[in-house]
Amino acid sequence: MKELMDLVDDLKQSLDETNEVKNIKVLNKEISKDKELLNDIKEYNLTKNEKIKEKILSNELFNKYKDNEIELNLLIMKINSELKKISIKKGCLK
């Protein structure tokens, strides 16, 4: 069990070192400083106003974040696919 926990910790550390995670963290900090964007997002969540949505979607920082979020999700999908292959191989050995 300790070996498995060590492997999970190694995976987490490796993920933290990927460009995808690093970029998301940087962009998240930038977004947290952009009060106008944050206010627009809050207002849109309350009102569902399409004009506010358009304003958010035209925000360059928001779009960079979303692009990086997609890249991170693709990485997660690749990892899940590899983990599934491992679990299938392990299942065949039983």
Side-chain angles (χ1 to χ4, degrees), residues 22-54:
K22 287 178 183 178
N23 289 340
I24 284 285
K25 287 180 178 182
V26 167
L27 289 166
N28 203 10
K29 286 180 183 177
E30 288 181 38
I31 287 175
S32 70
K33 294 176 185 175
D34 188 335
K35 299 303 180 196
E36 183 178 346
L37 176 58
L38 291 176
N39 287 334
D40 288 341
I41 292 170
K42 284 179 188 176
E43 188 174 343
Y44 175 74
N45 285 331
L46 291 172
T47 65
K48 304 299 182 203
N49 183 314
E50 287 299 313
K51 287 184 182 183
I52 297 170
K53 181 179 179 179
E54 289 174 22

